[in-house]
Amino acid sequence: MISNFRCDQNVRHCISMLKLGTRDLSNPLVLRRFASHYKFVVAGGGSGGCAVASNLVNHGSVAVIEPTLHHYYQPMWTLVGAGIKKTADSRNDQINCIPGQATWLRTSVSSFNPDDNTVMTLDGGKITYDYLVVALGLEVRFDKIKGLKESLGTNGVCSNYGPGNADYTWEVLSSIKSGKLLFTFPNAPIKCAGAPQKIMYLAESHLRKAGVRGSCTLDYHTALPAIFGVPKYAEALTKASSR
């Protein structure tokens, strides 16, 4: 069964009752079941999906399919890795991020059937639509790099992708007194092409402030033919990295 919630302002406080897979039926403001057809269906309740949904609610019924109860503003994780922010700062309740006029379908997509304008959900639901927006983002696959999944979070192996991972980045960075720091850009699509460089520049700034920059070296390894894919910015970044 689909747990679908209408995110009206008068029931937003009910988020405290929502548990994964359960609903509290004792409160008169409990969230109700809604239609299975919408003018717009947005698959994914991340920053992109919520932004699109907020622009569509004035043009017809909107459903946002998103299974998680918490929304993370992922660009902030670079700042977490640099000790500027905390992971908790990047987290919000999902119900606060989905537009108030939209319907939140708290489930996952299992298949798309564009020939009959249908989305099938993991719990067996069938949602029909006039227009579909796919905003599912990227799935991080640490297992695609040999040994990375097992090493991540130990022995100085860090990543700023995923809630909690960036905390270890700062734990390592804040304890460095000397040595070599390696920053890598993989040969596969990633969520932000600038993220590996951002943490490198922030790390360099921290090392300078900590007075240990002279005993550390920073190396950037990229699978791209240049430091960045856009020539204009690649030129500026090449100059910056040489300083």
Side-chain angles (χ1 to χ4, degrees):
M1 180 178 292
I2 299 174
S3 299
N4 38 339
F5 307 120
R6 184 63 175 267
C7 301
D8 299 300
Q9 295 295 332
N10 66 333
V11 296
R12 284 183 179 273
H13 72 277
C14 293
I15 187 63
S16 61
M17 301 187 306
L18 301 179
K19 305 295 182 183
L20 195 60
T22 67
R23 285 183 290 171
D24 184 345
L25 300 179
S26 64
N27 193 299
L29 293 179
V30 69
L31 307 177
R32 310 176 298 279
R33 287 192 59 79
F34 282 82
S36 60
H37 178 85
Y38 302 87
K39 184 172 183 179
F40 304 100
V41 168
V42 180
S47 297
C50 289
V52 171
S54 68
N55 285 313
L56 294 177
V57 290
N58 294 324
H59 303 283
S61 59
V62 178
V64 178
I65 303 176
E66 173 57 49
T68 59
L69 286 174
H70 297 112
H71 175 99
Y72 286 92
Y73 181 65
Q74 298 184 32
M76 191 180 291
W77 291 341
T78 298
L79 301 180
V80 174
I84 300 171
K85 292 287 187 178
K86 302 292 185 182
T87 298
D89 296 331
S90 69
R91 191 176 97 166
N92 199 346
D93 292 328
Q94 187 69 45
I95 201 169
N96 294 331
C97 301
I98 293 176
Q101 302 93 326
T103 299
W104 174 19
L105 306 182
R106 212 194 77 210
T107 183
S108 299
V109 173
S110 61
S111 65
F112 296 106
N113 301 294
D115 290 338
D116 58 358
N117 286 27
T118 300
V119 173
M120 302 301 296
T121 58
L122 197 60
D123 50 8
K126 181 179 180 180
I127 311 300
T128 58
Y129 59 83
D130 294 332
Y131 302 95
L132 173 67
V133 177
V134 179
L136 297 174
L138 295 179
E139 180 183 2
V140 179
R141 295 290 305 273
F142 292 122
D143 59 299
K144 291 295 185 179
I145 300 177
K146 185 178 180 180
L148 177 57
K149 186 176 181 180
E150 298 75 19
S151 303
L152 194 63
T154 62
N155 301 317
V157 180
C158 310
S159 173
N160 287 340
Y161 291 105
N165 289 336
D167 294 316
Y168 182 68
T169 302
W170 174 240
E171 179 183 332
V172 172
L173 180 59
S174 61
S175 65
I176 290 176
K177 304 301 180 185
S178 64
K180 178 180 286 189
L181 288 73
L182 301 178
F183 300 86
T184 63
F185 187 105
N187 63 343
I190 62 174
K191 295 187 178 185
C192 175
Q197 288 187 64
K198 292 174 187 176
I199 186 59
M200 178 177 65
Y201 301 134
L202 289 168
E204 202 270 349
S205 176
H206 165 73
L207 295 174
R208 288 187 182 278
K209 293 177 181 178
V212 297
R213 178 63 181 91
S215 58
C216 298
T217 58
L218 287 75
D219 291 350
Y220 182 69
H221 297 260
T222 177
L224 300 175
I227 195 170
F228 200 74
V230 181
K232 175 182 177 180
Y233 301 118
E235 181 180 356
L237 290 169
T238 300
K239 293 178 180 179
S241 62
S242 66
R243 294 199 296 266

